[in-house]
Each structure stands twice: as C-alpha cells, then as structure tokens.
Amino acid sequence: MPTNESGDTSPSVMQRITALLDAPGTGKTTPQIAEAVFEAMRVRLSAVMGGSGYATLLRRCFVLACRDFPWLAEIKPDVNGSLLGRLDDPTPGLHRDESARGFAAVLTQFATLLSTFIGQDLGDRLLGTVWLDLQDNTEQSGEGNTI
Amino acid sequence: MNSDTSKVRIRQLPTGVPGLDAVLGGGLPEYSFNVIAGAPGCGKTTMAQQILFANATPEAPAIFFTVLGEPPLKVLRYQQQFDFFDSSKVESSVRFVNLSMEVMNQDLEAVLERITKEVENTTPGIVVVDSFRNIVRKADSVEKPEIDMQNFIQRLALFLTSWQATTFLVGEYLLDEMRNNALFTVADGLLWLTQNIERNSMERKLQIMKLRGQASLSGLHTFRITSEGVRVFPRNAGLMERRPEAFDVRRISTGVPTLDEMLGGGIPAGDSVLITGAAGSGKSTLCTQFIAEGAKNGEPGVIVVFEEQPPKYVSRALEMGFDMEATIADKELEVIYLRPLDLSVDETLFAVREAVERIGAKRVVIDSLSGFEIGLSPHAQADFRESVYRLVFALTNIGVTVVNTVEMSSILTDVRLATHDISFLTDDIILQRYVELDGQLQRITGVVKSRRGNHSKELRRYDVSEKGLVIGDALTGYSDILTGFPRQLEARQTANR
C-alpha cells in the first residue's frame, strides 16, 4: 500500500477512488467506471469551484497525465468538465490494466493539483464528498464493488 | 411597562472578529440581512469568512456562495492561511457553492432559484454571497431582465430571513453609490470597510453605517488584518461606555514629597497631568517615581512607552531602587512598548485598555506624547489633539490618574508648555526646564496649573540623582527665569517682592 503525504499507510481518498478503476468482475469496462467516477467528481466539485473552474483543472490533469499515457491526449472534457460519452472511442483495444492506470494517473494528478492549490487536508475533504457519492451509488446499485 | 414577552429579544451572534462585537453593540443580530461593502482588497471576504467559520456548526451550517471574481480555489487557497479557517469544517459545517454559471448567463431568476435550492437543502445559519456586486453588474448589463434588481433583492432578503439565515452580501461599493440603491435600503446592517494610504502608511477603517435593532458604536474604527484574520479596535476601546468612577477626593503622591507639597498635597486622583520639559530634564525619572509610589501603595500602574525601549526603563528604575521586573511579575505593573510608526489611536487605546483592565491599573504613564504622535500614521497625526483627548478622557473617566510627558524642542529658550496646544486636556501641569545661572546649566521646576487651584507658584531648583528628583529651594532673587536666562534682582527689588 503506498503511503500518502502524511506518511501513514491508510489509503488516501483518491487512492480509494482510483481503486474503483481496477475492479474486475463488475460487468463494466474501465472507461465506463472512469466515466462514472469523473461524473461524480464533476457534479460535486463544480458546485464548489464552478463548472469552468473544474473543467480547466481537469484539462490540466489530462495534459499532465499524457506524459506517461499519451493516448489520454485524445480525451477532451467538455466546457463543463463532463466526460460523458467521451472515454470509449479514444481507447479501443486498450488493455484494461493500461486503461485503468491512465485514468488513475489523471485522478492522481487531480488530487495532487488540488493539494497544491488548497492543501491535502482540504483537498481530501472535497474528494471525500465524491467518495461518499460513489459509495452511495454502489450501495444503491446493490452490486458490491460496482459504481 | 415591558414584560419579558412584550418585545422580541433579538439574539446576538458572536462575529468571531475580535473587537467587532463591541462595535456592533454586542454582536450580530440573528437573521439579519447585511452588506459588507468597500473597495477591493480592504478585507471584506476575510471578515465574512471569519464570521462564517465562527458560527458554522453541523446543526447550523454556513454556505459561502462564490460568484464571478476571485476563483473559488483561490479563495480556499488564500483564506486557509488565516487561523480562523478551520479545514475540518469544510463540507461538514461550511459549504462553498459556486454561482458563476447562473450569473454568467445573466439570469437573476436562476441565481435566486439556485440559492433557494441550496439553502432549502442545507438550512444554513449563515449565508454569504461574495461578490454580490458581480451579480448586480451582470444583471445590469441585460436590457430587459426577467426580474429587476430591486425585486431580486427583496425576494432574496425575504427568503433568507424567512429561512432563518443571517446573511452577508459582500460587494465592492463606493460611498457615492449608497444613494438610490435598493440593496442598502433593504439591508438591516451595513458594514463599510475602507483603506487609506498616505505616504508610506496604510490605515484600514470600519464603519457601521446602519444596523437595525441595536445601537452600534458610531464613527470610524481601525482594523488590521493579520494571520489571525481581522481584528477591530473600537475607537473608544470600550472605555467610554463604562460608568465613571465615583469622584475621588484623594490626592495621590507623585513619589517626590516636595513636588507633592508644590501641588498642594499631591495629584488629585483621576487627574490628567502633563509633565513638560526638555530632553534630559527628568520627565521619565519622575514618571518612574510616580509609578513606584503607586506600586508601594497598592495602586497598579501601566507605563506606555513610545520612544525608549522597556529594558532601558526597567534598568533606570532599578538604579533608583524600584524593581520593575518584580512588580511586573506580581502583576502590579505593565510596561507597554508600542512599536513606532503606523499606529492608530484605536490600537493604542485598545492596548492601554487591555493592560489597565488586566491589572486593575490606577496609574498610567504615557511617555511621551511626542513619541505617541511620531508613532501615529499620518492620518491619525492630523487628529492628534482629538486622539490625546480620547485617550486621556477614556482613562480618567474610569478613575485612572494619567501622567503624560511632552518634550520641548529647545533646551533653554522654549517657554511653551506643549507643542500641540494640548494643555487644555490636562488638569495639572508640571514644568521642568533648564536655565543658565551663574554660568551653569541648572534645572528648575514649577507647577503651572492644578485643577484644585492651591498649588505653589514657586520655581524651584532640582537635580536628577540616582534616586530620582531632588527638589531644592525656591529660586528667589531672579527675574525672567522662564526665558532661560534669569536676571539677578537688586537687593531692594528682592525685598519688595
């Protein structure tokens, strides 16, 4: 288990979120799971930072993650930061693990940027609300580790 | 006759801004609809957030609506640097909601709808909209808005008050904009922040332009923004509203028996005394003796130093046999050194009041008024006389005896009592000056004025020894003493005198 910035070994909020991407047996593809995760982030975080504020930050994260996962360059969030219907096409034939690592890189960049701007404590608080929403979705669907 | 139920009792919320509750007259009226206005950069957002964090609880959370202007992430980034910003409250007790989209679309109805929805979902105790001015600007740019601004403000105020929220609309406004502005008519409270820069000094001021339902302190109050957030210094430091002490007929000793005699038995308690003299004439020494005498008699003292560093004061006192450090440790004395430059009178008053109240001081020394003036910001210097009046009146009003010193610029020739015509503020004046006598520079002292009248009219020689002032005999047989160059009278003239 990687350690977070505070040095403890408990998973950070974003580590919990990214772990959802690597969940075989859920009946959903990684892009589908990523889409749900990004949508939950958009709904929660654009309420706080505004639609364009969230979209801009997300675009920046894709650019940063592109260095390690060039295929992410094909993915463009809309003006409000929505990725609905935008994750499948650029990644045909991509191995599930590679896909999960790429989206995880974007999410990690997001957490890092958030931490850079407003600190890890506050960043985790905002991401915590996203995590709760994702958990709610999981419980409502009654499918265990599914979102 | 009023019974407990005949009038609604408006609960006052603590603002969490030190000094602001006193200025507001006790705190924020609950459910009030307020405006925090002022030019950009004068601390509106900081004040609003300080109030918000002070009052937000899980049961009565707060919503901070951000509008166009400072991006929300930046608000969070910078505001969390303040001590009041409690990250653990974010999202649990404090919610940040962005209204930019609704405002960008110039749709007031949508703005109102979004605020309504968020407030109904959260039922907050505190609501802040920052910046409300941006909503107004955007709406004004629409030719035929679906609802006009006045209607919008009325509905917003009605809704938020009905929902039992205490509201703050934060906006950049100029004083000229107060006229014919529906917002200021509807608002229950209007807090106006300003900042003035003159030469290299900046002074921030707060004014409560309006507050329904309770009496606030009028006038301009200094405030500062530090890492703790906003701190307000009420202009009378809370001393004016205190009931005056019963008239004290006692006379208290200066610590110099001969001077007590010259004063007619000491200083009338609760008086304001001015010691005026040239540099090195012994003003600070006399002040030390005055405070030491108080400590001996169970009358705690406060020394407000503007020029000399406290260690120098302490060391001189020790040479005179007065252990200031021990007295300070016994909480019988406080020495306040107010850092020079950019001081406001309000801050000075506040520091003095706190010290006076901490130890129940009965004697205060302000050494010196000249240093006080130099330490003031240029704006405050313009009102120096008023400043001294406020400081002295506030202290004597509560029965404290105040000794001020003022330095004369010229050693020999200056015969003025004070450089700023502040003698009218004092009840008693002690003059110390140099004269040239028999080819020597000598010191003379006299009591120029005493409130109770029966003081000595003599001018006496004195020395400043290691133990303090040693006052000798009256200087007789001379005229023109106060010019600094006395003339010896002939024996006949002396006899006639």
Side-chain angles (χ1 to χ4, degrees):
Chain A
M1 178 71 67
T3 56
N4 55 29
E5 278 185 24
S6 61
D8 66 41
T9 53
S10 59
S12 69
V13 181
M14 193 46 102
Q15 283 169 344
R16 289 195 184 100
I17 293 173
T18 54
L20 293 172
L21 297 168
D22 190 21
T26 57
K28 290 188 175 174
T29 63
T30 300
Q32 284 172 328
I33 298 170
E35 198 173 82
V37 168
F38 282 117
E39 184 59 9
M41 281 175 53
R42 187 190 68 79
V43 170
R44 270 291 173 181
L45 301 182
S46 63
V48 175
M49 58 181 84
S52 65
Y54 171 75
T56 309
L57 205 60
L58 187 64
R59 280 206 307 279
R60 172 73 179 148
C61 296
F62 270 93
V63 168
L64 291 171
C66 264
R67 292 170 188 165
D68 296 323
F69 303 93
W71 54 270
L72 287 170
E74 302 300 318
I75 301 173
K76 306 285 183 200
D78 76 5
V79 289
N80 295 316
S82 173
L83 288 166
L84 291 176
R86 292 168 182 248
L87 296 188
D88 272 332
D89 285 344
T91 57
L94 200 64
H95 190 274
R96 185 185 179 99
D97 288 350
E98 171 69 1
S99 174
R101 280 199 298 273
F103 292 129
V106 177
L107 293 171
T108 304
Q109 287 292 355
F110 197 96
T112 306
L113 269 187
L114 213 49
S115 180
T116 301
F117 289 129
I118 62 172
Q120 186 174 355
D121 194 28
L122 203 50
D124 279 355
R125 288 205 155 262
L126 296 184
L127 292 172
T129 60
V130 178
W131 171 246
L132 289 176
D133 287 349
L134 290 168
Q135 278 191 312
D136 284 349
N137 292 345
T138 304
E139 282 167 15
Q140 279 167 20
S141 69
E143 293 179 43
N145 197 19
T146 309
I147 57 172
Chain B
M1 195 163 96
N2 294 328
S3 69
D4 285 342
T5 55
S6 66
K7 289 182 180 176
V8 66
R9 185 179 159 274
I10 299 175
R11 202 161 75 94
Q12 293 177 316
L13 305 179
T15 58
V17 179
L20 182 55
D21 290 354
V23 171
L24 289 167
L28 278 171
E30 194 176 34
Y31 314 143
S32 53
F33 186 77
N34 308 291
V35 175
I36 301 178
C42 62
K44 301 181 298 297
T45 299
T46 303
M47 179 177 279
Q49 289 217 350
Q50 204 165 341
I51 295 169
L52 175 135
F53 273 96
N55 287 281
T57 63
E59 297 74 33
I63 304 182
F64 190 92
F65 289 102
T66 53
V67 190
L68 298 169
E70 191 178 357
L73 277 190
K74 278 197 171 179
V75 173
L76 293 173
R77 178 176 170 80
Y78 294 125
Q79 289 295 318
Q80 68 176 282
Q81 306 306 319
F82 291 110
D83 293 351
F84 64 77
F85 191 101
D86 182 357
S87 295
S88 69
K89 284 190 171 183
V90 175
E91 290 299 314
S92 57
S93 304
V94 175
R95 285 194 58 216
F96 288 85
V97 176
N98 188 262
L99 293 176
S100 296
M101 198 61 78
E102 289 80 359
V103 176
M104 287 280 269
N105 293 336
Q106 301 169 322
D107 185 351
L108 284 180
E109 198 68 60
V111 172
L112 197 57
E113 198 177 302
R114 179 78 188 281
I115 291 175
T116 304
K117 183 183 145 207
E118 297 289 349
V119 168
E120 285 184 358
N121 285 343
T122 310
T123 318
I126 300 277
V127 170
V128 176
V129 182
D130 185 5
S131 140
F132 189 76
R133 184 61 197 260
N134 286 333
I135 296 180
V136 176
R137 279 202 192 103
K138 270 289 174 188
D140 285 348
S141 64
V142 180
E143 276 188 25
K144 287 184 182 173
E146 285 185 25
I147 56 172
D148 64 30
M149 185 47 67
Q150 188 159 357
N151 186 344
F152 172 77
I153 293 167
Q154 290 282 358
R155 286 167 62 187
L156 183 68
L158 184 65
F159 168 73
L160 288 168
T161 304
S162 304
W163 235 254
Q164 294 177 282
T166 306
T167 304
F168 294 88
L169 306 182
V170 178
E172 301 84 33
Y173 288 96
L174 300 174
L175 277 168
D176 294 347
E177 295 175 280
M178 277 194 71
R179 285 182 193 167
N180 305 320
N181 190 321
L183 177 61
F184 301 122
T185 309
V186 173
D188 299 313
L190 176 52
L191 287 71
W192 208 283
L193 310 186
T194 52
Q195 56 184 6
N196 300 305
I197 294 173
E198 192 176 305
R199 298 209 293 273
N200 297 322
S201 294
M202 182 170 75
E203 213 173 61
R204 289 188 158 105
K205 294 285 185 184
L206 158 77
Q207 186 179 8
I208 309 299
M209 306 278 270
K210 172 184 182 182
L211 189 61
R212 290 192 175 118
Q214 63 192 51
S216 56
L217 292 182
S218 61
L220 297 170
H221 309 275
T222 304
F223 71 96
R224 275 193 189 268
I225 303 175
T226 67
S227 61
E228 293 171 1
V230 174
R231 169 170 217 133
V232 180
F233 301 90
R235 65 191 294 265
N236 63 12
L239 288 164
M240 296 293 197
E241 69 266 30
R242 277 181 51 176
R243 292 177 66 184
E245 296 276 318
F247 184 65
D248 192 345
V249 294
R250 286 181 311 128
R251 281 180 180 265
I252 60 173
S253 173
T254 59
V256 182
T258 318
L259 184 58
D260 291 344
E261 281 172 29
M262 292 169 73
L263 283 158
I267 301 168
D271 268 16
S272 161
V273 184
L274 182 70
I275 305 172
T276 175
S281 64
K283 298 183 295 297
S284 297
T285 303
L286 178 54
C287 288
T288 305
Q289 289 179 277
F290 170 71
I291 289 294
E293 184 67 18
K296 204 165 72 183
N297 296 317
E299 293 179 339
V302 170
I303 302 176
V304 189
V305 193
F306 290 95
E307 293 163 271
E308 258 184 344
Q309 295 274 359
K312 199 173 170 189
Y313 230 96
V314 170
S315 144
R316 180 179 46 227
L318 198 58
E319 285 170 15
M320 291 165 60
F322 174 39
D323 189 346
M324 270 193 177
E325 281 184 338
T327 315
I328 290 168
D330 291 342
K331 299 194 187 312
E332 293 286 312
L333 171 66
E334 284 210 22
V335 181
I336 307 172
Y337 175 65
L338 293 165
R339 71 187 191 297
L341 305 177
D342 283 359
L343 274 176
S344 71
V345 180
D346 297 334
E347 286 168 284
T348 310
L349 260 174
F350 182 84
V352 175
R353 184 202 75 170
E354 286 212 317
V356 165
E357 292 193 338
R358 266 195 302 271
I359 60 169
K362 289 290 175 193
R363 297 181 178 218
V364 169
V365 162
I366 297 166
D367 190 10
S368 68
L369 290 178
S370 324
F372 180 25
E373 188 197 13
I374 292 166
L376 290 173
S377 62
H379 272 93
Q381 281 182 16
D383 302 320
F384 181 68
R385 279 191 349 147
E386 185 215 328
S387 309
V388 175
Y389 174 76
R390 279 166 53 198
L391 182 61
V392 168
F393 179 78
L395 292 169
T396 54
N397 188 46
I398 56 169
V400 174
T401 307
V402 183
V403 170
N404 306 287
T405 68
V406 68
E407 187 170 314
M408 293 293 91
S409 53
S410 169
I411 288 180
L412 279 174
T413 55
D414 203 337
V415 291
R416 287 176 299 165
L417 296 175
T419 48
H420 301 282
D421 195 16
I422 49 176
S423 53
F424 78 99
L425 299 171
T426 62
D427 301 305
D428 317 287
I429 299 176
I430 297 166
L431 173 74
Q432 295 180 336
R433 64 171 290 117
Y434 289 99
V435 292
E436 186 195 328
L437 208 60
D438 301 332
Q440 285 189 320
L441 203 56
Q442 297 196 18
R443 296 184 179 98
I444 57 158
T445 186
V447 176
V448 177
K449 170 187 173 186
S450 179
R451 180 162 59 99
R452 295 195 194 160
N454 56 340
H455 64 89
S456 160
K457 310 295 185 292
E458 294 170 334
L459 290 171
R460 293 185 177 223
R461 283 195 186 96
Y462 72 97
D463 276 320
V464 182
S465 75
E466 281 182 355
K467 299 296 174 195
L469 265 62
V470 180
I471 300 178
D473 294 334
L475 195 62
T476 54
Y478 292 92
S479 68
D480 302 340
I481 296 170
L482 290 177
T483 63
F485 304 100
R487 283 194 304 130
Q488 194 156 25
L489 296 171
E490 291 174 12
R492 192 165 53 85
Q493 288 174 294
T494 309
N496 288 341
R497 285 190 161 215

